[in-house]
Amino acid sequence: MNSYIINEMKKEESWRLFKIIGDFIDGFEVMPNFLPSVTIFGSARVEEGNKYYEAARELAFKLSKKGFSIVTGGGPGIMEAANRGAFEAGGNSIGLNIKLPKEQKPNKYLTEILNFNYFFARKVMLVKYATAFVLFPGGFGTLDEITETLTLIQTKKLKPFPVILYGSEYWNGFVQWLNDVVVKDGYIDKEDTELFKQMDDINEIVDYIDQWYIKNSTKLIGEND
């Protein structure tokens, strides 16, 4: 009879705990050096010249000029664009790369790179030290990142930081579904849809994040301890 006990851990698998601890130690030691930071999520599949690529590049450039470090997953697409903008601005361009069977190569615009063995440890670091989150169009990974981030804020496991969806033509269907189905059926409250904003103007996003940080910076001291 086949066994499907997912939590069964063989003796040699206990060594994975050291890799997990290593992921967290690296993140906890490095990331506080780059505050304040903005985490930018989005598709790995867009290329230079794509309107979302160029928007992410411009946004990161302008945020960097305001003194924010830019944090991404370190790969191609929107991640590359954001790191590129920060790099071109002379700012901190941080990539939290994930080791995959089909290896994801870090983009060439990073001033600091951390390599993670596990998605969950990487996601903690993408979220824990962020002052704001900006989500560009993307696939399953991006959808996972927005829903997990909003869940953490909704359940008060994470302080309410700005969460911004860029690209209304992409996100409108998602937001409409939340309102017409998820809120209507009582799975979330109407006020939960106020945990994020849709914004399409790069300068408006930069000003919003900058002003939010100026207003709340004194409250943030010690919150990442």
Side-chain angles (χ1 to χ4, degrees), residues 74-85:
I78 294 297
M79 295 175 282
E80 176 187 294
N83 288 132
R84 183 175 181 178

Side-chain angles (χ1 to χ4, degrees), residues 11-34:
K11 183 177 179 180
E12 62 271 19
E13 289 180 328
S14 63
W15 287 99
R16 292 182 183 178
L17 294 174
F18 292 99
K19 294 172 71 176
I20 293 169
I21 292 170
D23 276 358
F24 281 113
I25 289 174
D26 288 345
F28 290 145
E29 287 186 345
V30 172
M31 294 305 294
N33 298 323
F34 297 103

Side-chain angles (χ1 to χ4, degrees), residues 190-207:
K190 179 60 179 177
E191 53 264 33
D192 291 330
T193 63
E194 299 173 3
L195 298 176
F196 62 86
K197 291 181 177 291
Q198 285 184 271
M199 303 175 75
D200 293 310
D201 185 283
I202 295 298
N203 290 325
E204 184 181 354
I205 294 172
V206 173
D207 289 342

Side-chain angles (χ1 to χ4, degrees), residues 21-187:
I21 292 170
D23 276 358
F24 281 113
I25 289 174
D26 288 345
F28 290 145
E29 287 186 345
V30 172
M31 294 305 294
N33 298 323
F34 297 103
L35 299 176
S37 65
V38 175
T39 296
I40 296 179
F41 298 117
S43 175
R45 300 187 180 187
V46 302
E47 298 180 353
E48 182 178 2
N50 176 281
K51 64 180 180 180
Y52 294 124
Y53 182 105
E54 299 305 329
R57 181 178 173 186
E58 179 186 355
L59 175 64
F61 182 94
K62 291 181 175 180
L63 286 170
S64 291
K65 289 297 186 181
K66 291 285 188 178
F68 294 97
S69 298
I70 299 300
V71 180
T72 79
I78 294 297
M79 295 175 282
E80 176 187 294
N83 288 132
R84 183 175 181 178
F87 185 85
E88 291 170 341
N92 295 317
S93 176
I94 319 302
L96 307 187
N97 192 50
I98 185 72
K99 299 175 184 176
L100 298 173
K102 190 175 181 180
E103 187 174 1
Q104 172 181 288
K105 293 183 179 179
N107 67 68
K108 62 183 179 181
Y109 301 105
L110 301 172
T111 58
E112 183 76 31
I113 182 170
L114 291 175
N115 289 299
F116 288 83
N117 295 290
Y118 297 98
F119 271 110
F120 65 87
R122 176 184 182 238
K123 286 163 70 175
V124 168
M125 297 306 156
L126 284 166
V127 171
K128 179 175 173 56
Y129 296 102
T131 297
F133 311 97
V134 183
L135 295 108
F136 283 78
F140 286 143
T142 304
L143 293 172
D144 171 62
E145 285 151 351
I146 182 175
T147 52
E148 180 163 350
T149 299
L150 291 175
T151 299
L152 290 170
I153 295 174
Q154 178 200 46
T155 57
K156 303 187 186 305
K157 297 296 184 180
L158 185 67
K159 296 291 184 180
F161 294 99
V163 178
I164 299 164
L165 308 185
Y166 178 87
S168 291
E169 64 182 11
Y170 180 84
W171 291 109
N172 276 343
F174 172 73
V175 175
Q176 184 174 346
W177 173 73
L178 287 178
N179 283 293
D180 294 350
V181 179
V182 187
V183 172
K184 181 181 177 182
D185 290 348
Y187 295 113

